[in-house]
């Protein structure tokens, strides 16, 4: 039993290290960090708790597929990393698939059980649920995407 506990602790420690590494990488070198002049849709998001602000841009092809996604703004490392990962993973997805990813990501970030293999590389952000004050930072880009896909033009806030 003691060896099992040590193995679990070491595995969790490795996951925390991976979580931190991915957050730092996407914060230092955010993917798709740019304005998109020819975006089909754009929307602003704001997290008053942390001060995170972003503008999300997407292009949607005739078939309803997200062909391009980008963001601009300023925020904490978790918010920036989440937006960076999100813009990478939604490219090539239909609007419906992106909505499904939003639901899965939100469940994961708030500590609900999800099958991690459904999230792909987003699973590295699972550790955010251990830090309740940071959940809004991680989910801001996703709530912004959700509002954009539902046709909202109003700025999104986490409050």
């Amino acid at each position: 039993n003691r060896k099992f506990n040590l193995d679990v602790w070491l595995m969790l420690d490795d996951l925390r290290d991976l979580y931190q590494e991915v957050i730092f990488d996407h914060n230092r070198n955010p993917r798709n960090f740019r304005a998109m002049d020819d975006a089909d849709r754009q929307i602003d998001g704001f997290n008053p708790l942390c001060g995170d602000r972003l503008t999300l841009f997407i292009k949607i092809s005739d078939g309803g597929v997200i062909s391009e996604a980008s963001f601009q703004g300023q925020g904490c490392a978790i918010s920036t990393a989440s937006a960076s990962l999100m813009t990478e993973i939604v490219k090539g997805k239909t609007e419906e698939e992106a909505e499904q990813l939003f639901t899965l990501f939100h469940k994961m970030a708030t500590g609900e059980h999800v099958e991690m293999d459904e999230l792909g590389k987003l699973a590295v952000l699972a550790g955010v649920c251990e830090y309740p004050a940071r959940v809004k930072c991680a989910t801001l880009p996703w709530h912004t995407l959700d509002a954009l896909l539902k046709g909202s033009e109003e700025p999104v806030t986490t409050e």
Side-chain angles (χ1 to χ4, degrees):
N1 191 14
R2 192 170 198 176
K3 180 176 178 355
F4 173 76
N5 288 340
L6 179 60
D7 289 344
V8 169
W9 183 82
L10 289 172
M11 182 183 74
L12 290 174
D13 201 40
D14 286 346
L15 286 174
R16 276 188 212 96
D17 289 347
L18 177 62
Y19 167 77
Q20 289 178 341
E21 185 179 316
V22 170
I23 297 290
F24 291 145
D25 178 44
H26 278 268
N27 181 52
R28 278 189 230 114
N29 305 299
R31 281 47 156 200
N32 307 303
F33 187 80
R34 66 186 183 287
M36 189 186 310
D37 294 332
D38 58 346
D40 295 323
R41 302 182 208 164
Q42 75 179 58
I43 191 170
D44 296 321
F46 177 56
N47 174 4
L49 182 67
C50 192
D52 304 321
R53 292 182 177 277
L54 68 87
T55 301
L56 179 62
F57 307 89
I58 64 169
K59 277 180 164 175
I60 301 194
S61 70
D62 291 337
V65 173
I66 298 170
S67 59
E68 194 64 41
S70 68
F71 73 103
Q72 271 196 320
Q74 60 185 33
C76 69
I78 292 171
S79 176
T80 301
S82 182
S84 177
L85 284 160
M86 180 191 74
T87 57
E88 278 192 320
I89 203 162
V90 298
K91 287 183 195 177
K93 304 274 190 252
T94 64
E95 292 181 68
E96 183 178 297
E97 289 169 331
E99 282 286 348
Q100 291 169 352
L101 278 172
F102 161 74
T103 300
L104 286 170
F105 184 82
H106 191 265
K107 285 180 179 181
M108 177 196 69
T110 56
E112 289 185 50
H113 174 75
V114 296
E115 294 297 325
M116 291 300 178
D117 59 333
E118 293 181 61
L119 287 164
K121 63 174 119 178
L122 293 173
V124 299
L125 287 171
V128 79
C129 69
E130 294 181 34
Y131 308 97
R134 305 320 296 248
V135 169
K136 289 182 180 183
C137 302
T139 58
L140 173 66
W142 289 91
H143 282 292
T144 306
L145 175 67
D146 180 53
L148 184 143
L149 292 174
K150 289 178 176 170
S152 177
E153 295 178 7
E154 296 295 316
V156 175
T157 181
T158 57
E159 293 305 307

